[in-house]
Amino acid sequence: TQNDFVLLLDPDGELDLAPRTVAALCDRYGGFAADGLIRVVRSAALPDGKELTDAAEWFMDYRNADGSVAQMCGNGTRVFAAYLERAGLVRLGAGPVPIGTRAGVKHVRRDGDLLVTDLITESRRRIAKLGTRQGHFHRRQIVATLKRAIGIVGLAFKGRPVAFLRV
């Protein structure tokens, strides 16, 4: 997919991510030339994630490169899950990992050396079950290989590690 993300570990949601800060970090010339910023934060630590706490420990706080808040990013969910696994925060081999997003809980699972996110919505599942356009929505999945995730670069930002993965 060739997306670039800045990953920011902030488990307790202590950082104030002003839009101009995110835009500066993602800037093509003065920053990390990223498509967006993904803050790794516990669901309970953010107002947007509190209602998802029982379903997902971790929340993907995704920001567009211009600093605006976004619901989620499909490619970002797999980068997020890969980071959680590499950091020892989750174990993907044990089954799907729930990830809180502003678009609800998404599940990422390992399939060989791939990470797979099912982005289908419940309403589309119902349509598929009814036979409308049978099979069109069934098993719609987006896949990214871990082999294409090249490198994590650690950088400092207010005493917190900042990293990015290229997928």
Side-chain angles (χ1 to χ4, degrees), residues 65-141:
D66 65 2
S68 62
V69 173
Q71 285 195 327
M72 64 155 291
C73 171
N75 293 330
T77 61
R78 291 177 297 284
V79 171
F80 187 87
Y83 175 80
L84 289 176
E85 183 177 50
R86 288 179 184 174
L89 301 171
V90 300
R91 200 169 138 249
L92 280 164
V97 172
I99 295 173
T101 73
R102 289 181 182 86
V105 177
K106 304 301 174 192
H107 293 86
V108 180
R109 64 179 168 80
R110 181 177 296 290
D111 184 3
D113 67 343
L114 304 177
L115 289 183
V116 180
T117 304
D118 186 357
L119 299 178
I120 192 168
T121 64
E122 189 56 37
S123 62
R124 286 185 175 180
R125 276 191 185 91
R126 282 189 221 118
I127 290 169
K129 285 180 183 176
L130 291 173
T132 304
R133 299 179 71 182
Q134 187 172 8
H136 178 71
F137 297 114
H138 185 62
R139 294 186 177 278
R140 180 179 289 181
Q141 297 170 330

Side-chain angles (χ1 to χ4, degrees), residues 1-159:
T1 62
Q2 302 301 309
N3 290 116
D4 298 311
F5 301 101
V6 173
L7 267 72
L8 176 63
L9 179 61
D10 183 23
D12 299 318
E14 297 172 342
L15 297 176
D16 177 25
L17 288 179
R20 70 173 185 234
T21 302
V22 173
L25 287 169
C26 295
D27 185 75
R28 291 278 167 212
Y29 303 103
F32 298 110
D35 297 308
L37 181 140
I38 301 171
R39 176 164 54 164
V40 180
V41 61
R42 286 190 173 86
S43 294
L46 284 182
D48 290 340
K50 285 191 189 287
E51 66 186 44
L52 304 176
T53 301
D54 292 338
E57 178 183 3
W58 295 100
F59 189 89
M60 184 179 89
D61 181 16
Y62 183 69
R63 310 296 176 99
N64 293 312
D66 65 2
S68 62
V69 173
Q71 285 195 327
M72 64 155 291
C73 171
N75 293 330
T77 61
R78 291 177 297 284
V79 171
F80 187 87
Y83 175 80
L84 289 176
E85 183 177 50
R86 288 179 184 174
L89 301 171
V90 300
R91 200 169 138 249
L92 280 164
V97 172
I99 295 173
T101 73
R102 289 181 182 86
V105 177
K106 304 301 174 192
H107 293 86
V108 180
R109 64 179 168 80
R110 181 177 296 290
D111 184 3
D113 67 343
L114 304 177
L115 289 183
V116 180
T117 304
D118 186 357
L119 299 178
I120 192 168
T121 64
E122 189 56 37
S123 62
R124 286 185 175 180
R125 276 191 185 91
R126 282 189 221 118
I127 290 169
K129 285 180 183 176
L130 291 173
T132 304
R133 299 179 71 182
Q134 187 172 8
H136 178 71
F137 297 114
H138 185 62
R139 294 186 177 278
R140 180 179 289 181
Q141 297 170 330
I142 308 297
V143 178
T145 65
L146 289 177
K147 289 178 182 175
R148 291 179 63 191
I150 54 173
I152 297 176
V153 178
L155 300 166
F157 175 66
K158 292 190 178 183

